[in-house]
Amino acid sequence: MTAAARTLTTTTTTAAATALVEASGVGFAYGARSIFEEVALAIRPGELVALCGPNGAGKSTLLRLLLGLHAPSAGQVRLGGASVTTLSRRQIARRAALLPQDAPIDLPLTVREAVALGRLPHLDRFAPESADDAAAVARALEATDTAELFDRPVAELSGGERHRVHLARALAQEAPLLLLDEPTAGLDLAHQLQALDLLRATVDDGRGALVALHDLSLAARCCDRMILLAGGRIRADDSPVAVLTPEALAQVFGVRAEVRLDSEGRPFVVPYEALGGARRGEIAR
C-alpha cells in the first residue's frame, strides 16, 4: 500500500474511533522550569504516529506523562476514554505498554523470562502462566528476532539485542496502545527497518502506537502522522509530507536540508549543514 493510500485508509478508519490516548491542554514543569504547555494530541486504533523534536524537547517526558508516570501541571490525559488519574497501575498496563529509552540493562533474567514480564498485567496474583500467555511471549520473541536468544541472560546481550528484548516485552503485553521511546536506538540498519515494519503491522491489526524517533526519514517511511515537539509546544501534527519541509527543519532542528520524495511518495531528508546562532532550533515559546 502506498503512503497516500495508507493515510487515506487510516483517516477513514480512525475518524470515529475512540482515542486510545488523548491529551488536552497538557503542560508539565520541573519546578519553575516549564518543559511544555498546551499539548493536545490523540492516538486512535490503526495509527502509527511519530513524536519528533530536538534533544531536550520533552518527548520522553510526554510519553511517561501519557502513561500516568508524571502528573501534568495543567490539562488532562485520557487513556481508553478514562482519565488516567482514575486508573490503577494494572488497569493502565492493560491499556498501554511503554518501552522506555532507559530500559534496565542488568536484569537477572533470561530473555524468555524478561519478555514474559509483559504478561504480568494479565495474571492474577501468584497465578501461573497460561497457554495464552506462553503463546503471546512466543509471538513477541519471533516477531523481534529474539527467539534464538530465549535462554540467554539479558545481562550478557549486546545493546541492540537487549533493546529488541525490551521491545518484545512491550509487544507481549498486548496492550491496545504502544508508547515507544527510541525503539530503534542501538539497532543495526536491518533491525531498524524490521522494528518499524513490525510496528506498522501491529497497528494495522488494530492497535495504536506513538513512537519517539530521531530519524525523520525512517519515521516518514512507516508512520501515518508526525508530531513535532519543540520550544515547549507542538509545532506540527500532520502527514509526513506536510510536516517535513525545509522551513520546519530549519526552525525546529536548526539544519539546512532538502526534502525529497521516494518512488512511493514518502519524504526523506537530506541534511546539508547545521545553522548557527538564533536560527539553530531556537524557537520562542
Side-chain angles (χ1 to χ4, degrees):
M1 183 183 292
T2 65
R6 187 176 66 228
T7 299
L8 178 60
T9 299
T10 301
T11 301
T12 302
T13 302
T14 62
T18 299
L20 298 172
V21 67
E22 185 172 11
S24 304
V26 166
F28 183 78
Y30 286 113
R33 183 168 67 94
S34 176
I35 304 302
F36 48 75
E37 55 190 19
E38 293 298 327
V39 166
L41 60 84
I43 310 297
R44 292 180 168 80
E47 285 192 309
L48 177 55
V49 181
L51 177 62
C52 303
N55 292 338
K59 300 183 295 297
S60 299
T61 300
L62 179 57
L63 290 178
R64 295 177 66 84
L65 185 147
L66 295 176
L67 202 67
L69 297 175
H70 291 317
S73 57
Q76 184 182 59
V77 174
R78 300 185 69 83
L79 200 57
S83 173
V84 72
T85 59
T86 68
L87 299 172
S88 68
R89 294 314 309 172
R90 182 184 179 90
Q91 289 173 319
I92 290 173
R94 288 184 170 183
R95 297 177 185 222
L98 173 69
L99 173 62
Q101 192 175 28
D102 55 352
I105 65 174
D106 57 351
L107 290 175
L109 302 171
T110 66
V111 166
R112 206 266 178 207
E113 290 168 338
V115 175
L117 293 177
R119 302 304 301 166
L120 291 179
H122 304 278
L123 294 174
D124 292 329
R125 193 173 185 182
F126 304 123
E129 184 181 273
S130 69
D132 287 344
D133 296 319
V137 171
R139 285 192 298 270
L141 288 167
E142 186 65 30
T144 54
D145 198 23
T146 52
E148 64 182 22
L149 305 174
F150 80 100
D151 59 348
R152 293 268 305 277
V154 173
E156 294 181 4
L157 301 179
S158 70
E161 288 171 334
R162 279 196 304 269
H163 213 72
R164 283 155 47 206
V165 168
H166 289 301
L167 176 58
R169 190 270 307 157
L171 292 174
Q173 196 167 325
E174 293 191 332
L177 175 68
L178 293 168
L179 302 173
L180 308 177
D181 196 354
E182 289 294 333
T184 59
L187 301 184
D188 59 42
L189 185 57
H191 282 109
Q192 288 181 38
L193 295 173
Q194 181 190 47
L196 268 295
D197 286 344
L198 172 59
L199 292 177
R200 179 74 259 168
T202 299
V203 301
D204 285 346
D205 280 340
R207 291 200 253 181
L210 178 62
V211 188
L213 288 169
H214 279 296
D215 190 324
L216 302 177
S217 298
L218 190 61
R221 177 181 178 273
C222 293
C223 294
D224 304 298
R225 288 161 40 217
M226 297 181 71
I227 296 173
L228 294 187
L229 179 65
R233 294 181 182 272
I234 288 182
R235 301 293 165 173
D237 180 355
D238 210 330
S239 68
V241 169
V243 168
L244 292 181
T245 65
E247 294 77 16
L249 295 171
Q251 183 184 37
V252 172
F253 296 98
V255 296
R256 185 173 69 85
E258 182 179 348
V259 180
R260 302 176 183 175
L261 299 180
D262 66 14
S263 60
E264 295 189 19
R266 301 173 299 198
F268 64 94
V269 177
V270 182
Y272 291 124
E273 64 176 343
L275 301 174
R279 298 176 65 193
R280 192 169 58 202
E282 296 178 6
I283 300 176
R285 289 181 178 270

